[in-house]
Amino acid sequence: MDFSKDLICENLTNRDGVLHFAGQNTADLAAQYGTPLYLMDENRIRQQVAVYRDTLRECFGDKGHALYASKACAFKRMYAIMAEEGISVDVVSAGEIASAHAAGFPMENVYFHSNNKTDFDIAYAMDCGVGTFVVDHPEELAAIDAIAAEKGVVQPVILRITPGIDCHTYEAVNTGKVDSKFGSAIVTGDASRIVKQALDAANVKLCGFHCHIGSQVFDSSVYIATVDVMVDFLAEMKKTFGYSAEKLDIGGGYGVRYVATDPVIDIAASIREVAQQMQVRVAEAGIEMPHIYMEPGRSIVADAGLTLYTVGAVKKIEGYKNYVSVDGGMTDNPRFALYGSEYTVLPATRLEDERDMVADVVGRCCESGDIIQPDVALPADMARGELLAVLTTGAYNYSMASNYNRIPRPPVVMLRDGESYVAVRRETLEDILALDK
Ligand SMILES: *Cc1c(COP(=O)(O)O)cnc(C)c1O
């Protein structure tokens, strides 16, 4: 049987039936670091960053910028890598700000999102020197202005605008997504009102606009629709307030392959198409080209990640269903439980064996919904002690991990040029008890 189609990213290889990731033997890594184990391919991360950074520069010169949306996978080493690659980052909480700060990330290159920044968050971000706040709504803008006044600073901000684009139909519509919990909608007049408020506020400096349409996008047309709406908005703001936006952030969202049937996307080619549209529309609108930002998260880190588990039990309920239980679960990968997300699950040391059993791969939590992936084809004689690999787990796995059932979180081990190192150590039982009085 040919299972080569399952090797959905170029950093996956089959050597004598054993899965190698970033050129390294997954069985050896499991033996060295234990399971469950998050592996991350550092070279792949840097390669993906380069696609965005270099293509945006190629299209917009020094006005093209890549941001990493760090909520996809955040720990100190990740911020250090982004600093080395010379790109900016998005953060959404004081915890992410603290991590970037502790990693020595240049805080002027940090963009602070979130639809509800607390007063503590706002003050903490200012104290850390966060460069730009991405403001969600009028009350927040007033709070930022007031706290900046107390501190005697003028805080640069960009405003999150809801362009009213439904990323599922990839069309600009007047209603779709206007009901989002994020941002201020153009169609309701809220966007225009918050621009006025920002221009009038003494302790914020309005630097431009932000929007983010959705996720797992495989098509340029959603960004092209975004560009159309946002350039019109920029032109309208210029006409209404005489305000020229210095920055326009068109969001993240490019898709990745979780399974072999997901499309392959040429991100550089798509960015070039979007940039072309941007140039045409800006010229038509008679406005100056702003600095253009894109802020991918998933597509930077997703296929740079892989999770290894050890099988604990193979339960065959004759005439009903088969279960393969692993030593992790929804605590380290909640995405099937949350969204029904698809994943490719492979028997890491038996890539060439017949896969003649269909089983649900489940975790060890006390929860029937604790499923990594249903209906996975695996060898029927799979047994306790064997290794399973789940592919494309670099985004929204470690960053969404929990301690449900007081299960310690796995470590993150980085792979680079044939070597490996621990970026986040395994949680211990002492860590689990650390907060209890
Ligand atoms: C989550 C998010 C991103 C990144 O989205 P991906 O799908 O991971 O690329 C970018 N911008 C904002 C505002 C987000 O909330």
Side-chain angles (χ1 to χ4, degrees), residues 274-413:
V274 176
Q276 171 74 27
Q277 180 76 357
M278 189 78 211
Q279 261 125 16
V280 169
R281 292 302 318 271
V282 160
E284 277 172 11
I287 59 173
E288 207 198 316
M289 179 65 83
H291 285 257
I292 301 296
Y293 294 74
M294 286 184 113
E295 48 180 21
R298 187 189 314 271
S299 53
I300 299 285
V301 288
D303 60 22
L306 175 154
T307 305
L308 291 176
Y309 299 107
T310 302
V311 171
V314 178
K315 182 181 283 182
K316 296 175 179 170
I317 310 174
E318 232 22 87
Y320 291 88
K321 204 174 172 76
N322 303 317
Y323 289 100
V324 172
S325 302
V326 297
D327 54 354
M330 64 190 289
T331 42
D332 59 78
N333 183 355
R335 292 190 68 257
F336 182 81
L338 271 175
Y339 317 114
S341 306
E342 289 188 289
Y343 278 102
T344 301
V345 184
L346 299 176
T349 59
R350 303 178 62 183
L351 291 181
E352 287 164 9
D353 291 14
E354 197 69 34
R355 295 181 206 167
D356 43 3
M357 165 175 72
V358 172
D360 283 9
V361 174
V362 298
R364 61 203 280 239
C365 297
C366 298
E367 171 73 47
S368 302
D370 175 21
I371 299 169
I372 297 284
Q373 197 61 203
D375 301 325
V376 177
L378 292 167
D381 61 348
M382 178 135 248
R384 183 176 173 92
E386 290 191 56
L387 269 189
L388 286 187
V390 181
L391 309 184
T392 324
T393 58
Y396 306 110
N397 274 230
Y398 171 71
S399 64
M400 284 188 164
S402 78
N403 289 124
Y404 180 50
N405 288 168
R406 298 221 128 184
I407 293 172
R409 283 172 294 185
V412 181
V413 167

Side-chain angles (χ1 to χ4, degrees), residues 69 71 90 113 160 210 212 214-215 252-254 295-298 396:
K71 72 178 198 274
D90 280 355
H113 287 256
R160 181 161 185 168
H210 166 274
H212 172 68
S215 230
Y254 277 112
E295 48 180 21
R298 187 189 314 271
Y396 306 110

Side-chain angles (χ1 to χ4, degrees), residues 150-216:
E150 273 167 35
K151 292 184 182 292
V153 297
V154 174
Q155 179 61 52
V157 302
I158 61 177
L159 303 175
R160 181 161 185 168
I161 302 300
T162 312
I165 288 171
D166 185 337
C167 92
H168 300 293
T169 61
Y170 296 170
E171 270 171 19
V173 293
N174 281 339
T175 52
K177 302 317 275 177
V178 169
D179 55 359
S180 164
K181 82 165 179 176
F182 298 104
S184 303
I186 295 173
V187 69
T188 58
D190 289 334
S192 177
R193 278 188 288 277
I194 197 171
V195 172
K196 173 86 169 62
Q197 183 188 347
L199 290 170
D200 290 346
N203 289 85
V204 302
K205 176 176 187 281
L206 181 60
C207 297
F209 303 109
H210 166 274
C211 59
H212 172 68
I213 309 309
S215 230
Q216 261 313 72

